[in-house]
Amino acid sequence: MADSSFDIVSKVERQEVDNALNQAAKEISQRYDFKGVGASISWSGEKILMEANSEDRVKAVLDVFQSKLIKRGISLKALDAGEPQLSGKEYKIFASIEEGISQENAKKVAKIIRDEGPKGVKAQVQGDELRVSSKSRDDLQAVIALLKGKDFDFALQFVNYR
């Protein structure tokens, strides 16, 4: 019998992020507490730019955006937001969406699978994803349960289960 396998990836659906950003922009334009503070959120190249005239207001813009991401099923671990920076009279926060599993993070996950997972499960790093294979599908289910129980500082999804 051939090995069963699945891939561990860290991907974010760009359209969902765009939808969350548009919803946040609409809420910011309509909310009373954002009137007259120059609050805005928009794409700036590959980054997301949040602006307002005070540090508290720009943090509130970030909070609104984070709540919209959660509602759309996107992990906040994929959002890398910087600290508020004063630029002229405006405060700005630049945020980026992190995708892919870095080599050192992939090695950490593979080590956890080797050390704590069932015997006979193999993990291979393939670019920015990790392929996990085993003869037993039950062992693969156990690996998924093990990794869901761990708290990583990056988002994980399990795809191509076969």
Side-chain angles (χ1 to χ4, degrees), residues 31-120:
R31 265 179 48 178
Y32 178 76
D33 57 336
F34 286 118
K35 294 278 187 244
V37 295
S40 67
I41 181 170
S42 61
W43 286 105
S44 174
E46 283 296 304
K47 292 187 179 279
I48 297 160
L49 171 64
M50 291 161 264
E51 295 177 301
N53 66 1
S54 76
E55 190 172 347
D56 290 341
R57 289 292 103 206
V58 79
K59 285 182 178 176
V61 171
L62 175 62
D63 194 45
V64 168
F65 182 54
Q66 288 175 335
S67 71
K68 298 301 178 191
L69 286 175
I70 291 170
K71 283 184 181 170
R72 301 206 72 81
I74 297 170
S75 172
L76 291 183
K77 292 177 181 176
L79 180 71
D80 182 26
E83 289 298 311
Q85 300 167 336
L86 184 60
S87 171
K89 293 182 179 177
E90 296 268 301
Y91 279 89
K92 296 181 178 186
I93 294 179
F94 285 99
S96 60
I97 302 296
E98 301 289 321
E99 286 197 300
I101 301 175
S102 66
Q103 287 291 328
E104 62 266 8
N105 286 339
K107 287 177 184 172
K108 280 186 210 168
V109 174
K111 183 172 176 8
I112 288 171
I113 292 170
R114 264 195 323 276
D115 294 347
E116 300 176 32
K119 298 289 178 239

Coordinates of all heavy atoms in Angstrom, one line a residue, residues 31-120:
R31 N -18.0 55.3 11.3 CA -18.1 55.3 12.8 C -17.9 56.8 13.3 O -17.1 57.5 12.8 CB -17.1 54.4 13.4 CG -17.7 53.1 13.8 CD -16.7 52.1 14.4 NE -15.9 52.6 15.5 CZ -15.1 51.7 16.1 NH1 -15.0 50.5 15.7 NH2 -14.3 52.2 17.0
Y32 N -18.7 57.1 14.3 CA -18.7 58.4 14.9 C -17.3 58.8 15.5 O -16.8 59.9 15.4 CB -19.8 58.6 16.0 CG -19.8 59.9 16.6 CD1 -20.3 61.0 16.0 CD2 -19.3 60.1 17.9 CE1 -20.3 62.3 16.6 CE2 -19.3 61.3 18.5 CZ -19.8 62.4 17.9 OH -19.8 63.6 18.5
D33 N -16.7 57.8 16.2 CA -15.4 58.1 16.9 C -14.3 58.3 15.9 O -13.2 58.7 16.4 CB -15.1 57.1 18.0 CG -15.1 55.7 17.4 OD1 -15.7 55.4 16.4 OD2 -14.4 54.8 18.0
F34 N -14.5 58.0 14.7 CA -13.4 58.2 13.7 C -13.6 59.5 12.8 O -12.9 59.8 11.9 CB -13.3 57.0 12.7 CG -12.6 55.8 13.4 CD1 -13.3 54.6 13.5 CD2 -11.3 55.9 13.8 CE1 -12.7 53.5 14.1 CE2 -10.7 54.8 14.4 CZ -11.4 53.6 14.5
K35 N -14.7 60.2 13.1 CA -15.0 61.5 12.4 C -14.0 62.5 12.7 O -13.7 62.8 13.9 CB -16.4 62.0 12.7 CG -17.5 61.1 12.3 CD -17.8 61.3 10.8 CE -19.1 60.5 10.4 NZ -18.9 59.5 9.5
G36 N -13.4 63.1 11.7 CA -12.5 64.3 11.9 C -11.1 63.9 12.4 O -10.4 64.8 12.8
V37 N -10.7 62.6 12.4 CA -9.4 62.3 12.9 C -8.5 61.8 11.8 O -7.4 61.4 12.0 CB -9.4 61.2 14.0 CG1 -10.1 61.8 15.3 CG2 -10.0 59.9 13.6
G38 N -9.0 61.9 10.5 CA -8.2 61.5 9.4 C -7.8 60.0 9.3 O -6.8 59.6 8.8
A39 N -8.7 59.2 9.9 CA -8.5 57.8 10.0 C -8.7 57.1 8.6 O -9.7 57.4 8.0 CB -9.3 57.1 11.0
S40 N -7.8 56.3 8.2 CA -7.9 55.6 6.9 C -7.1 54.3 6.9 O -6.2 54.1 7.7 CB -7.5 56.4 5.7 OG -6.1 56.6 5.8
I41 N -7.5 53.4 6.1 CA -6.8 52.1 5.9 C -6.8 51.8 4.4 O -7.9 51.9 3.7 CB -7.4 51.0 6.7 CG1 -6.6 49.7 6.6 CG2 -8.9 50.8 6.4 CD1 -7.0 48.6 7.5
S42 N -5.7 51.4 3.9 CA -5.6 51.1 2.4 C -4.4 50.3 2.1 O -3.5 50.1 2.9 CB -5.5 52.4 1.6 OG -4.4 53.1 2.0
W43 N -4.3 49.7 0.9 CA -3.2 49.0 0.4 C -2.1 50.0 0.0 O -2.4 51.1 -0.5 CB -3.5 48.1 -0.8 CG -4.3 46.9 -0.5 CD1 -5.6 46.7 -0.7 CD2 -3.8 45.7 0.1 NE1 -5.9 45.4 -0.3 CE2 -4.8 44.8 0.2 CE3 -2.5 45.3 0.6 CZ2 -4.7 43.5 0.7 CZ3 -2.4 44.0 1.1 CH2 -3.5 43.2 1.2
S44 N -0.9 49.7 0.4 CA 0.3 50.6 -0.1 C 1.3 49.6 -0.6 O 2.2 49.1 0.1 CB 0.8 51.3 1.1 OG 2.0 52.0 0.8
G45 N 1.1 49.3 -1.9 CA 2.0 48.2 -2.5 C 1.5 46.9 -2.0 O 0.4 46.5 -2.0
E46 N 2.5 46.1 -1.4 CA 2.2 44.8 -0.8 C 1.8 45.0 0.7 O 1.4 44.0 1.3 CB 3.4 43.9 -0.9 CG 3.5 43.3 -2.3 CD 2.3 42.4 -2.7 OE1 2.0 41.5 -2.0 OE2 1.7 42.7 -3.7
K47 N 2.0 46.2 1.3 CA 1.7 46.4 2.7 C 0.3 47.1 2.9 O -0.2 47.6 1.9 CB 2.8 47.2 3.3 CG 4.1 46.5 3.4 CD 5.1 47.4 4.2 CE 6.4 46.7 4.3 NZ 6.5 45.7 5.4
I48 N -0.2 47.0 4.1 CA -1.4 47.7 4.4 C -1.0 48.9 5.3 O -0.3 48.8 6.2 CB -2.3 46.7 5.2 CG1 -2.7 45.5 4.3 CG2 -3.6 47.5 5.7 CD1 -3.1 44.3 5.1
L49 N -1.5 50.1 4.9 CA -1.2 51.3 5.6 C -2.4 51.8 6.3 O -3.5 52.0 5.8 CB -0.8 52.4 4.5 CG -0.6 53.8 5.0 CD1 0.5 53.9 6.0 CD2 -0.4 54.7 3.9
M50 N -2.2 52.1 7.6 CA -3.3 52.6 8.5 C -2.8 54.0 9.0 O -1.7 54.1 9.4 CB -3.6 51.7 9.7 CG -4.2 50.4 9.2 SD -4.0 49.1 10.5 CE -2.6 48.2 9.8
E51 N -3.7 55.0 8.9 CA -3.3 56.3 9.3 C -4.4 57.0 10.2 O -5.6 56.7 10.0 CB -3.2 57.2 8.0 CG -2.1 56.9 7.1 CD -2.0 57.7 5.9 OE1 -3.1 57.8 5.1 OE2 -1.0 58.4 5.7
A52 N -4.0 57.8 11.1 CA -4.9 58.6 11.9 C -4.0 59.8 12.5 O -2.8 59.7 12.5 CB -5.6 57.8 12.9
N53 N -4.7 60.7 13.1 CA -4.0 61.9 13.7 C -3.5 61.7 15.1 O -2.9 62.5 15.7 CB -4.8 63.2 13.6 CG -6.0 63.2 14.4 OD1 -6.3 62.2 15.1 ND2 -6.8 64.2 14.3
S54 N -3.8 60.5 15.7 CA -3.3 60.2 17.1 C -2.9 58.7 17.2 O -3.4 57.9 16.4 CB -4.3 60.6 18.2 OG -5.3 59.6 18.2
E55 N -2.1 58.4 18.1 CA -1.6 57.1 18.3 C -2.8 56.1 18.7 O -2.9 55.0 18.2 CB -0.5 57.0 19.3 CG 0.2 55.7 19.4 CD 1.4 55.7 20.3 OE1 1.9 56.8 20.7 OE2 1.9 54.6 20.6
D56 N -3.6 56.6 19.5 CA -4.8 55.8 20.0 C -5.7 55.5 18.8 O -6.2 54.4 18.7 CB -5.6 56.5 21.1 CG -4.8 56.6 22.4 OD1 -3.8 55.8 22.5 OD2 -5.1 57.4 23.2
R57 N -6.0 56.5 18.0 CA -6.9 56.3 16.8 C -6.3 55.3 15.8 O -7.0 54.5 15.3 CB -7.2 57.6 16.1 CG -8.1 58.6 16.9 CD -9.5 58.0 17.1 NE -9.7 57.5 18.4 CZ -10.6 56.6 18.7 NH1 -11.4 56.0 17.8 NH2 -10.6 56.1 19.9
V58 N -5.0 55.4 15.6 CA -4.4 54.5 14.6 C -4.4 53.0 15.1 O -4.6 52.1 14.4 CB -3.0 55.0 14.1 CG1 -1.9 54.6 15.1 CG2 -2.7 54.4 12.8
K59 N -4.3 52.9 16.4 CA -4.4 51.6 17.1 C -5.8 51.1 17.0 O -6.0 49.9 16.8 CB -3.9 51.6 18.5 CG -2.4 51.7 18.6 CD -1.9 51.7 20.1 CE -0.4 51.7 20.2 NZ 0.0 51.8 21.6
A60 N -6.8 52.0 17.1 CA -8.2 51.6 16.9 C -8.5 51.1 15.5 O -9.2 50.2 15.3 CB -9.1 52.7 17.3
V61 N -7.8 51.8 14.5 CA -8.0 51.3 13.1 C -7.5 49.9 13.0 O -8.1 49.1 12.3 CB -7.3 52.3 12.2 CG1 -7.2 51.8 10.7 CG2 -7.9 53.7 12.2
L62 N -6.3 49.7 13.5 CA -5.7 48.3 13.5 C -6.6 47.3 14.2 O -6.8 46.2 13.7 CB -4.3 48.3 14.2 CG -3.6 46.9 14.3 CD1 -3.4 46.3 13.0 CD2 -2.4 47.1 15.1
D63 N -7.2 47.7 15.3 CA -8.2 46.8 16.0 C -9.4 46.5 15.1 O -9.8 45.3 15.1 CB -8.6 47.5 17.3 CG -9.3 46.5 18.3 OD1 -8.8 45.4 18.4 OD2 -10.3 46.9 18.8
V64 N -9.9 47.5 14.5 CA -11.1 47.2 13.6 C -10.7 46.2 12.5 O -11.4 45.3 12.2 CB -11.6 48.6 13.0 CG1 -12.6 48.3 11.8 CG2 -12.2 49.4 14.0
F65 N -9.5 46.5 11.9 CA -9.0 45.6 10.8 C -8.8 44.2 11.3 O -9.2 43.2 10.6 CB -7.7 46.1 10.2 CG -7.2 45.3 9.1 CD1 -8.0 45.0 8.0 CD2 -5.9 44.9 9.1 CE1 -7.5 44.3 6.9 CE2 -5.4 44.1 8.0 CZ -6.2 43.8 6.9
Q66 N -8.2 44.0 12.5 CA -8.0 42.7 13.1 C -9.4 42.0 13.3 O -9.5 40.8 13.0 CB -7.2 42.8 14.4 CG -5.8 43.1 14.2 CD -5.0 43.3 15.5 OE1 -5.6 43.6 16.5 NE2 -3.7 43.1 15.4
S67 N -10.4 42.7 13.8 CA -11.7 42.1 14.0 C -12.3 41.6 12.7 O -12.9 40.5 12.6 CB -12.6 43.0 14.7 OG -13.0 44.1 13.9
K68 N -12.1 42.4 11.6 CA -12.6 42.0 10.3 C -11.9 40.7 9.8 O -12.5 39.9 9.1 CB -12.5 43.1 9.3 CG -13.3 44.3 9.6 CD -14.8 44.1 9.8 CE -15.5 45.3 10.2 NZ -16.9 45.0 10.6
L69 N -10.6 40.6 10.0 CA -9.8 39.5 9.6 C -10.3 38.2 10.3 O -10.5 37.2 9.7 CB -8.3 39.6 9.9 CG -7.5 40.6 9.0 CD1 -6.1 40.8 9.5 CD2 -7.5 40.1 7.6
I70 N -10.6 38.3 11.6 CA -11.0 37.2 12.4 C -12.4 36.7 11.9 O -12.6 35.5 11.7 CB -11.1 37.5 13.9 CG1 -9.7 37.7 14.5 CG2 -11.9 36.5 14.7 CD1 -9.7 38.3 15.9
K71 N -13.3 37.7 11.6 CA -14.6 37.3 11.1 C -14.5 36.6 9.7 O -15.4 35.8 9.4 CB -15.5 38.6 10.9 CG -16.0 39.0 12.2 CD -17.0 40.2 12.0 CE -17.5 40.7 13.4 NZ -18.2 41.9 13.3
R72 N -13.5 36.9 8.9 CA -13.3 36.2 7.6 C -12.5 35.0 7.7 O -12.1 34.4 6.7 CB -12.7 37.2 6.6 CG -13.6 38.5 6.5 CD -13.4 39.1 5.2 NE -14.0 38.4 4.1 CZ -15.3 38.4 3.7 NH1 -16.2 39.1 4.5 NH2 -15.7 37.7 2.7
G73 N -12.1 34.5 8.9 CA -11.4 33.3 9.1 C -9.9 33.3 8.8 O -9.3 32.3 8.5
I74 N -9.3 34.5 9.0 CA -7.9 34.6 8.7 C -7.2 34.7 10.1 O -7.6 35.6 10.9 CB -7.6 35.8 7.9 CG1 -8.2 35.7 6.5 CG2 -6.1 36.1 7.7 CD1 -8.2 36.9 5.6
S75 N -6.2 33.9 10.3 CA -5.5 33.9 11.6 C -4.7 35.2 11.7 O -4.0 35.7 10.8 CB -4.5 32.7 11.6 OG -3.7 32.8 12.8
L76 N -4.7 35.8 12.9 CA -3.9 37.0 13.2 C -2.4 36.8 13.2 O -1.7 37.7 13.1 CB -4.4 37.7 14.5 CG -5.8 38.3 14.5 CD1 -6.1 39.0 15.8 CD2 -6.0 39.2 13.3
K77 N -2.1 35.5 13.3 CA -0.6 35.2 13.2 C 0.0 35.5 11.9 O 1.2 35.7 11.7 CB -0.4 33.7 13.5 CG -0.8 33.4 15.0 CD -0.6 31.9 15.2 CE -1.0 31.6 16.7 NZ -0.9 30.1 16.9
A78 N -0.9 35.6 10.8 CA -0.4 35.9 9.5 C -0.2 37.4 9.3 O 0.4 37.9 8.4 CB -1.4 35.4 8.4
L79 N -0.8 38.2 10.2 CA -0.7 39.7 10.1 C 0.5 40.2 10.9 O 0.6 39.9 12.1 CB -1.9 40.3 10.7 CG -2.0 41.9 10.6 CD1 -2.1 42.3 9.2 CD2 -3.1 42.4 11.5
D80 N 1.5 40.8 10.3 CA 2.6 41.4 10.9 C 2.5 42.9 10.9 O 2.9 43.5 9.9 CB 3.9 40.9 10.2 CG 5.2 41.4 10.9 OD1 5.1 41.6 12.1 OD2 6.2 41.6 10.2
A81 N 2.0 43.4 12.0 CA 1.8 44.9 12.1 C 2.9 45.5 12.9 O 3.4 45.0 13.9 CB 0.5 45.2 12.8
G82 N 3.4 46.6 12.4 CA 4.5 47.4 13.1 C 4.0 48.3 14.2 O 2.8 48.3 14.5
E83 N 4.9 49.0 14.8 CA 4.5 50.0 15.8 C 4.0 51.3 15.1 O 4.5 51.6 14.0 CB 5.7 50.3 16.7 CG 6.0 49.1 17.6 CD 4.9 48.7 18.6 OE1 4.4 49.6 19.2 OE2 4.6 47.5 18.6
P84 N 3.1 52.0 15.8 CA 2.7 53.3 15.3 C 3.9 54.3 15.2 O 4.8 54.4 16.1 CB 1.7 53.9 16.3 CG 1.3 52.7 17.1 CD 2.4 51.7 17.1
Q85 N 4.1 54.9 14.0 CA 5.2 55.8 13.8 C 4.6 57.2 13.4 O 3.6 57.3 12.7 CB 6.0 55.4 12.6 CG 6.6 54.0 12.8 CD 7.2 53.4 11.5 OE1 6.8 53.8 10.4 NE2 8.1 52.5 11.6
L86 N 5.2 58.3 14.0 CA 4.8 59.6 13.7 C 5.4 60.1 12.4 O 6.6 60.0 12.2 CB 5.2 60.5 14.9 CG 4.8 62.0 14.8 CD1 3.2 62.1 14.7 CD2 5.3 62.8 15.9
S87 N 4.6 60.5 11.5 CA 5.1 61.0 10.2 C 4.4 62.3 9.9 O 3.2 62.4 9.5 CB 4.7 60.0 9.1 OG 5.0 60.5 7.8
G88 N 5.1 63.4 10.2 CA 4.5 64.7 10.1 C 3.5 64.9 11.2 O 3.9 64.8 12.4
K89 N 2.3 65.1 10.9 CA 1.2 65.2 11.9 C 0.4 63.9 12.0 O -0.5 63.9 12.8 CB 0.3 66.4 11.6 CG 1.0 67.7 11.7 CD 0.0 68.9 11.5 CE 0.7 70.2 11.6 NZ -0.2 71.3 11.3
E90 N 0.7 63.0 11.2 CA 0.0 61.7 11.2 C 0.7 60.6 11.9 O 1.9 60.5 11.8 CB -0.3 61.3 9.7 CG -1.1 62.2 8.9 CD -2.6 61.9 9.0 OE1 -2.9 60.8 8.6 OE2 -3.4 62.7 9.4
Y91 N 0.0 59.7 12.5 CA 0.5 58.4 12.9 C 0.2 57.4 11.9 O -0.9 57.3 11.4 CB -0.1 58.0 14.3 CG 0.6 58.8 15.5 CD1 0.1 60.0 15.9 CD2 1.7 58.2 16.1 CE1 0.7 60.7 17.0 CE2 2.3 58.9 17.2 CZ 1.8 60.1 17.6 OH 2.4 60.7 18.6
K92 N 1.2 56.5 11.6 CA 1.0 55.5 10.6 C 1.4 54.1 11.2 O 2.4 54.0 12.0 CB 1.8 55.7 9.4 CG 1.5 57.0 8.6 CD 2.3 57.2 7.4 CE 1.9 58.4 6.7 NZ 2.6 58.6 5.4
I93 N 0.7 53.1 10.8 CA 1.1 51.7 11.0 C 1.2 51.0 9.7 O 0.2 51.0 8.9 CB 0.1 51.0 12.0 CG1 0.1 51.6 13.4 CG2 0.5 49.5 12.1 CD1 -0.9 50.9 14.3
F94 N 2.3 50.3 9.4 CA 2.4 49.5 8.3 C 2.3 48.0 8.7 O 2.9 47.6 9.7 CB 3.8 49.7 7.6 CG 3.9 50.9 6.8 CD1 4.5 52.1 7.3 CD2 3.3 51.0 5.5 CE1 4.6 53.2 6.6 CE2 3.4 52.2 4.8 CZ 4.0 53.3 5.3
A95 N 1.4 47.3 8.0 CA 1.3 45.9 8.3 C 1.4 45.1 7.0 O 1.1 45.5 6.0 CB -0.1 45.6 8.9
S96 N 2.0 43.8 7.2 CA 2.1 43.0 6.0 C 1.5 41.6 6.4 O 1.4 41.2 7.5 CB 3.6 42.8 5.6 OG 4.3 42.3 6.7
I97 N 1.2 40.9 5.3 CA 0.6 39.5 5.5 C 1.7 38.5 5.2 O 2.3 38.5 4.1 CB -0.6 39.3 4.5 CG1 -1.6 40.4 4.7 CG2 -1.1 37.9 4.6 CD1 -2.3 40.3 6.0
E98 N 2.0 37.7 6.2 CA 3.1 36.8 6.1 C 2.6 35.5 5.5 O 1.6 34.9 6.0 CB 3.7 36.4 7.5 CG 4.2 37.7 8.3 CD 5.5 38.2 7.7 OE1 6.4 37.4 7.3 OE2 5.7 39.4 7.6
E99 N 3.3 35.0 4.5 CA 2.9 33.7 3.9 C 4.1 32.8 3.7 O 5.2 33.3 3.6 CB 2.3 34.0 2.5 CG 0.9 34.5 2.5 CD 0.2 34.4 1.2 OE1 0.7 34.9 0.2 OE2 -0.9 33.7 1.2
G100 N 3.9 31.5 3.7 CA 4.9 30.6 3.6 C 5.6 30.2 4.9 O 5.5 31.1 5.8
I101 N 6.1 29.1 5.0 CA 6.8 28.7 6.3 C 8.3 28.8 6.0 O 8.8 28.2 5.1 CB 6.4 27.2 6.6 CG1 4.9 27.0 6.8 CG2 7.2 26.8 7.9 CD1 4.5 25.6 7.0
S102 N 9.0 29.6 6.9 CA 10.4 29.8 6.7 C 11.1 28.4 7.0 O 10.6 27.5 7.6 CB 10.9 30.8 7.6 OG 10.8 30.4 9.0
Q103 N 12.4 28.3 6.5 CA 13.2 27.1 6.7 C 13.3 26.7 8.2 O 13.1 25.6 8.5 CB 14.6 27.3 6.1 CG 14.6 27.3 4.6 CD 14.3 25.9 4.0 OE1 14.5 24.9 4.6 NE2 13.6 25.9 2.8
E104 N 13.6 27.7 9.0 CA 13.8 27.4 10.4 C 12.5 27.0 11.1 O 12.5 26.1 11.9 CB 14.5 28.5 11.2 CG 13.8 29.8 11.3 CD 14.2 30.8 10.2 OE1 14.9 30.4 9.3 OE2 13.7 31.9 10.3
N105 N 11.4 27.6 10.7 CA 10.1 27.2 11.3 C 9.7 25.8 10.8 O 9.1 25.0 11.5 CB 9.0 28.2 10.9 CG 9.1 29.5 11.7 OD1 9.7 29.5 12.8 ND2 8.5 30.5 11.2
A106 N 10.0 25.5 9.5 CA 9.7 24.2 9.0 C 10.5 23.1 9.7 O 10.0 22.0 10.0 CB 10.0 24.1 7.5
K107 N 11.8 23.4 10.0 CA 12.6 22.5 10.8 C 12.1 22.3 12.2 O 12.1 21.2 12.7 CB 14.1 23.0 10.8 CG 14.7 22.9 9.5 CD 16.1 23.4 9.5 CE 16.8 23.3 8.1 NZ 18.1 24.0 8.0
K108 N 11.6 23.3 12.8 CA 11.0 23.2 14.2 C 9.8 22.2 14.1 O 9.7 21.4 15.0 CB 10.5 24.6 14.7 CG 11.5 25.5 15.2 CD 10.8 26.7 15.8 CE 11.7 27.9 15.7 NZ 11.0 29.1 16.0
V109 N 8.9 22.4 13.1 CA 7.7 21.6 13.0 C 8.1 20.1 12.7 O 7.6 19.2 13.4 CB 6.8 22.1 11.9 CG1 5.6 21.2 11.7 CG2 6.2 23.5 12.3
A110 N 9.1 19.9 11.8 CA 9.6 18.6 11.5 C 10.2 17.9 12.8 O 10.0 16.7 13.0 CB 10.6 18.6 10.4
K111 N 10.9 18.7 13.6 CA 11.5 18.1 14.8 C 10.4 17.7 15.8 O 10.5 16.6 16.4 CB 12.4 19.2 15.4 CG 13.1 18.6 16.7 CD 14.2 19.6 17.1 CE 14.9 19.2 18.4 NZ 14.7 18.0 19.0
I112 N 9.4 18.5 15.9 CA 8.2 18.2 16.8 C 7.6 16.9 16.3 O 7.3 16.0 17.1 CB 7.2 19.3 16.9 CG1 7.8 20.5 17.7 CG2 5.9 18.8 17.5 CD1 7.0 21.7 17.7
I113 N 7.4 16.7 15.0 CA 6.8 15.5 14.5 C 7.7 14.3 14.7 O 7.2 13.3 15.2 CB 6.5 15.7 12.9 CG1 5.4 16.7 12.7 CG2 6.1 14.4 12.3 CD1 5.3 17.2 11.3
R114 N 9.0 14.5 14.6 CA 9.9 13.4 14.8 C 9.9 13.0 16.3 O 9.9 11.8 16.7 CB 11.3 13.8 14.4 CG 11.7 13.3 13.0 CD 13.2 13.4 12.8 NE 13.9 14.5 13.4 CZ 14.0 15.7 12.9 NH1 13.4 16.0 11.7 NH2 14.7 16.7 13.5
D115 N 10.0 14.0 17.2 CA 10.2 13.7 18.6 C 8.9 13.3 19.3 O 8.9 12.3 20.1 CB 10.7 15.0 19.3 CG 12.1 15.4 18.9 OD1 12.7 14.5 18.2 OD2 12.5 16.5 19.2
E116 N 7.7 13.9 18.9 CA 6.5 13.6 19.7 C 5.5 12.9 18.9 O 4.5 12.4 19.4 CB 5.9 15.0 20.2 CG 6.8 15.8 21.1 CD 6.2 17.1 21.4 OE1 5.0 17.2 21.5 OE2 7.0 18.1 21.6
G117 N 5.6 12.8 17.6 CA 4.7 12.1 16.7 C 4.8 10.6 16.7 O 5.8 10.1 17.3
P118 N 3.9 9.9 16.1 CA 4.0 8.5 16.0 C 5.2 8.0 15.2 O 5.7 8.8 14.3 CB 2.7 8.1 15.2 CG 1.8 9.3 15.3 CD 2.7 10.5 15.5
K119 N 5.7 6.9 15.5 CA 6.8 6.3 14.7 C 6.4 6.0 13.3 O 5.3 5.7 13.0 CB 7.4 5.0 15.4 CG 7.8 5.2 16.8 CD 9.1 6.0 16.8 CE 9.6 6.2 18.2 NZ 9.7 7.6 18.5
G120 N 7.3 6.1 12.4 CA 7.1 5.8 11.0 C 6.5 7.0 10.2 O 6.1 6.8 9.0

